[in-house]
Amino acid sequence: MEPEMNSSAFGFKNIRARTRRERTNLKDRVALEKQRLTERVGYSARLNQANTHDSSSGLTTCPENGAGYLSNADRFHSDTSGEEYLQRQEKVARKQRALEFRKNQGITREEDRWNRIDQLKKAEEERVQKLREAGIKAKKNESGVAYNITNLQYMENDSGKVQQYSDDLVRYRAKVRTQNLVTKGDTRVGYNIISGTGRDPMTPPEQVNPPEVIRTGRARLNRGLIG
């Protein structure tokens, strides 16, 4: 402990004399060491000063808020078998939790997989239903003509009526052409110039009337069908 110094009016430093108690304490080795410890500088010294004990009992005891504090009930606890049993129970419980977690993960994963399968199946059914309604795939098995190729009967629909009308037009034109060839390619007399026999007068072919589907405009006649 350094003696206290006071400055005089003339600039001299006056040192206060130590008392008898202070001089006695300087002879005490324990007090001297404590004084030297408190007067140390540096990081280690500051760390030691911050963690020094208030009394000598702090060397064997720890405050309740200290990191090494342990109550007497815990310090004198001797049920080691019970502690081992609790550790085994905790290990079993941790394993059970892990198994339960994996089980729940598997259930969720399977549910998601089946939901995806159901969605794909539903989408496929909707696609097939749309194709059925549109009739796109059915056209592969549909005949390219409007009549039955087995019995040569016209279909009982608009396309069959249009096909029949087109065929009737072809036959009508053939009859008209035949009549023109006979009347205009032969002589103008009313008998056969080779055999001399008379000829029957030719009647013009009956004109073909278009069906209702063509008259109303619901269907159009394909000009390629007419020969």
Side-chain angles (χ1 to χ4, degrees), residues 53 56-72 75:
H53 302 287
S56 59
S57 62
L59 299 175
T60 56
T61 60
C62 183
E64 294 185 1
N65 57 354
Y69 175 77
L70 187 66
S71 63
N72 293 333
R75 183 167 58 247

Side-chain angles (χ1 to χ4, degrees), residues 140-204:
K140 293 183 178 180
N141 298 326
E142 186 178 357
S143 177
V145 294
Y147 57 87
N148 193 328
I149 60 177
T150 304
N151 55 18
L152 302 180
Q153 296 293 327
Y154 293 105
M155 298 293 182
E156 296 181 356
N157 51 21
D158 293 345
S159 61
K161 295 178 182 179
V162 173
Q163 182 68 43
Q164 184 178 3
Y165 174 66
S166 176
D167 295 342
D168 292 341
L169 282 179
V170 172
R171 287 188 286 267
Y172 171 74
R173 291 181 62 186
K175 292 179 181 179
V176 172
R177 182 173 182 272
T178 301
Q179 186 178 11
N180 291 336
L181 288 175
V182 172
T183 57
K184 296 180 180 180
D186 200 357
T187 61
R188 302 297 188 268
V189 297
Y191 58 91
N192 192 331
I193 60 175
I194 297 176
S195 62
T197 60
R199 292 187 302 185
D200 298 332
M202 297 186 66
T203 58

Side-chain angles (χ1 to χ4, degrees), residues 11 35 39 41 47 75 78 93 129 131 152 169 227:
Q35 179 183 353
E39 292 177 353
V41 296
L47 188 64
R75 183 167 58 247
S78 61
Q129 184 63 27
L131 290 176
L152 302 180
L169 282 179

Side-chain angles (χ1 to χ4, degrees), residues 67-83:
Y69 175 77
L70 187 66
S71 63
N72 293 333
D74 295 332
R75 183 167 58 247
F76 294 104
H77 176 66
S78 61
D79 189 11
T80 56
S81 61
E83 291 181 357

Side-chain angles (χ1 to χ4, degrees), residues 2-55:
E2 294 294 337
E4 184 179 355
M5 293 185 297
N6 297 324
S7 299
S8 63
F10 301 98
F12 296 99
K13 294 182 178 181
N14 298 326
I15 301 176
R16 185 180 60 82
R18 293 190 179 96
T19 61
R20 182 176 298 177
R21 182 181 294 276
E22 291 175 351
R23 292 195 300 272
T24 305
N25 291 336
L26 290 177
K27 298 179 181 180
D28 187 4
R29 295 181 60 86
V30 176
L32 183 62
E33 290 296 331
K34 288 182 178 181
Q35 179 183 353
R36 290 175 179 176
L37 288 173
T38 56
E39 292 177 353
R40 288 190 309 171
V41 296
Y43 176 76
S44 299
R46 292 195 301 272
L47 188 64
N48 179 73
Q49 294 170 5
N51 294 276
T52 186
H53 302 287
D54 298 335
S55 61

